[in-house]
Amino acid sequence: MPTLLPMWPEVPEVPEVPAFTEVEETAKVRTQMALQVSSRLLPLTWTATEEGRLMVGGCDVIDLADQYGTPLYVFDEWTLRQRCQQAIYAFGKGVSYASKAFLCPAM
């Protein structure tokens, strides 16, 4: 007699939500990975705490994510101003801000 397959597939067990310490540890690991990225891709004001947490403009990005949720765009004003000055130096005073992916009138 052939083996009958169940009519409905078995539903996998829902994994437990990791403890807060595990989530915090994951965040530390991700921050360590981010710090391995070329510093040219990070804002000019970036630093890392002794615990390995990424700081931008003096703000802890994990705290910002906790406060505002994710995904979260974090812009460093000082870096933006420096990049604009570099563009003006390179292309003259007629250069202006243009955007495709992040259109923000405040910028």
Side-chain angles (χ1 to χ4, degrees):
M1 187 172 208
T3 304
L4 296 175
L5 297 174
M7 188 172 192
W8 303 103
E10 288 186 35
V11 177
E13 290 185 32
V14 176
E16 291 183 31
V17 175
F20 179 75
T21 54
E22 291 176 28
V23 171
E24 192 173 65
E25 189 61 33
T26 301
K28 286 181 186 177
V29 169
R30 288 183 179 164
T31 301
Q32 291 291 339
M33 291 170 58
L35 296 178
Q36 294 174 6
V37 171
S38 170
S39 62
R40 292 181 2 188
L41 299 175
L42 295 169
L44 298 173
T45 62
W46 81 274
T47 59
T49 65
E50 288 181 12
E51 296 82 26
R53 293 173 67 135
L54 180 63
M55 305 284 288
V56 173
C59 300
D60 185 321
V61 294
I62 295 174
D63 290 343
L64 291 173
D66 288 343
Q67 183 175 355
Y68 298 105
T70 60
L72 176 67
Y73 290 98
V74 178
F75 290 94
D76 178 49
E77 181 181 0
W78 195 81
T79 299
L80 285 172
R81 290 183 180 278
Q82 291 299 311
R83 297 293 188 240
C84 289
Q85 288 296 318
Q86 290 172 347
I88 290 169
Y89 180 78
F91 302 109
K93 292 191 178 196
V95 72
S96 60
Y97 175 80
S99 176
K100 183 176 179 181
F102 180 73
L103 184 56
C104 178
M107 297 295 279

